[in-house]
Amino acid sequence: MENKKVNFFANVLNKIKSKFIGSKVEIADEDQDKVLLVNGLKVNYGPIQAVKGINLKISEGQIVALLGANGAGKTTTLRTISGVIKSNGGQVIFNGENITNRKAFDIAKRGLTQSPEGRLVFNGLNVEDNLKAGAYGLKTKIIEKDGQKVKITASQQQKENFDRVYRLFPILKERRKQQANTLSGGEQQMLAIGRALMASPKLLLLDEPSLGLAPLIIKDIFNTLKEIQKEGTTILIVEQNALQTLKIADYAYVLELGSISLEGPASELINDKRLVEAYLGGKK
């Protein structure tokens, strides 16, 4: 009898969840151009609240930066948005759809992919196979072209994405048969970004892409991020390298101990005295 009650309430709960998670939601007029809306996001690690009810808005075609010191909650925020970890409150709305606490692979198939901190390339695979792994979720799609409906298969999309990645990162084409673990740090970062691009993302999440890289490599990668943006991909980037990030970003949020302490257009924040003193070493 007790088991029947448990099953009954579990079924009811699942039905309630199905109505809200993955469903389309009403978006305010001023937010119709937002590809991502994060409303009151909360994330706990046991008794510790790592993310304390933050709000983020990202318009289509923007580069938006999430800045802050170690332990501020930046990576936790990205992982929650992409479905790697579960939230304890709030909503994540992507393309007008509630994706809160959906599985990571399900979110990726919807067009939101992440290049993780530390790169995490597949060491046992070569460059080409690493990139193929990023395209696993591609499916045949129908698009409008010159007033006609055109079918594009997954294999066609994969080929187009290979061409795109090799154009953005020519060194990867040269190294395509090389084992990923033998690449330099900069090349591995290019591979991690390229792998995320193979899924044809509408929104690309980047976690510390400059970590551990030489200044010249960082400059090259950030220039490439601008190219990715110009091609129509929206980017949310987490970084401690505030100066370089603000130079390419359109808008930025500063996260401190799980809360947003500052936000605004990147062109304004780069001159903000509080930000300069805290994250830019007192100089620009």
Side-chain angles (χ1 to χ4, degrees):
M1 186 68 178
E2 191 66 31
N3 286 338
K4 286 184 178 180
K5 287 183 179 180
V6 171
N7 290 334
F8 171 78
F9 286 114
N11 288 333
V12 170
L13 182 59
N14 286 333
K15 287 180 180 178
I16 292 172
K17 284 182 176 180
S18 68
K19 290 182 179 180
F20 295 98
I21 300 175
S23 61
K24 290 290 182 179
V25 295
E26 287 190 20
I27 306 295
D29 289 342
E30 64 269 21
D31 291 329
Q32 289 297 321
D33 67 330
K34 303 299 186 293
V35 68
L36 183 73
L37 291 167
V38 176
N39 302 321
L41 187 67
K42 297 178 182 178
V43 187
N44 298 342
Y45 289 121
I48 300 172
Q49 192 170 45
V51 179
K52 304 172 182 177
I54 67 170
N55 300 312
L56 305 173
K57 294 183 180 184
I58 302 179
S59 297
E60 189 168 357
Q62 282 188 317
I63 294 180
V64 173
L66 185 58
L67 308 175
N70 278 333
K74 307 184 303 298
T75 293
T76 297
T77 298
L78 280 201
R79 289 178 176 172
T80 307
I81 291 170
S82 63
V84 176
I85 59 178
K86 301 293 186 183
S87 70
N88 297 95
Q91 280 189 326
V92 179
I93 311 298
F94 175 61
N95 263 357
E97 184 180 4
N98 184 0
I99 61 166
T100 313
N101 290 339
R102 290 193 74 92
K103 300 290 186 181
F105 69 86
D106 194 19
I107 292 174
K109 287 179 180 179
R110 283 167 161 74
L112 189 159
T113 61
Q114 181 173 351
S115 176
E117 180 182 5
R119 300 179 277 277
L120 302 183
V121 298
F122 300 120
N123 289 329
L125 301 178
N126 63 27
V127 167
E128 190 172 276
D129 288 338
N130 263 271
L131 293 175
K132 283 181 181 177
Y136 80 97
L138 293 177
K139 292 182 178 179
T140 297
K141 64 181 181 180
I142 307 295
I143 64 168
E144 289 279 346
K145 188 175 182 180
D146 299 326
Q148 300 289 325
K149 289 186 177 180
V150 179
K151 181 169 72 173
I152 304 178
T153 65
S155 60
Q156 287 174 316
Q157 294 173 62
Q158 180 174 287
K159 182 182 182 304
E160 290 174 1
N161 291 346
F162 264 118
D163 291 343
R164 181 190 187 192
V165 170
Y166 287 152
R167 176 173 44 77
L168 290 167
F169 303 111
I171 191 66
L172 294 183
K173 188 172 185 178
E174 294 178 28
R175 304 272 199 269
R176 62 187 181 278
K177 297 302 181 183
Q178 188 172 323
Q179 291 292 105
N181 62 310
T182 65
L183 299 176
S184 68
E187 290 165 353
Q188 287 189 20
Q189 184 60 69
M190 295 173 194
L191 178 56
I193 296 172
R195 184 179 59 194
L197 290 174
M198 289 296 294
S200 302
K202 187 178 182 68
L203 175 60
L204 175 63
L205 308 187
L206 298 173
D207 195 353
E208 301 281 6
S210 74
L211 186 66
L213 302 183
L216 285 176
I217 300 298
I218 292 172
K219 184 179 179 181
D220 287 343
I221 286 178
F222 275 61
N223 286 338
T224 304
L225 296 184
K226 288 297 292 184
E227 288 300 312
I228 293 170
Q229 178 195 26
K230 288 176 183 177
E231 293 178 354
T233 303
T234 307
I235 297 173
L236 173 59
I237 178 172
V238 155
E239 262 292 346
Q240 289 189 66
N241 190 333
L243 179 58
Q244 289 290 344
T245 307
L246 289 172
K247 286 180 178 179
I248 67 166
D250 300 294
Y251 199 87
Y253 295 87
V254 178
L255 198 59
E256 290 185 5
L257 299 176
S259 299
I260 301 295
S261 62
L262 195 62
E263 67 173 276
S267 58
E268 295 179 9
L269 289 188
I270 202 168
N271 295 308
D272 188 283
K273 184 178 178 181
R274 292 166 294 174
L275 191 67
V276 169
E277 291 177 351
Y279 298 104
L280 305 183
K283 60 182 180 180
K284 292 185 291 173

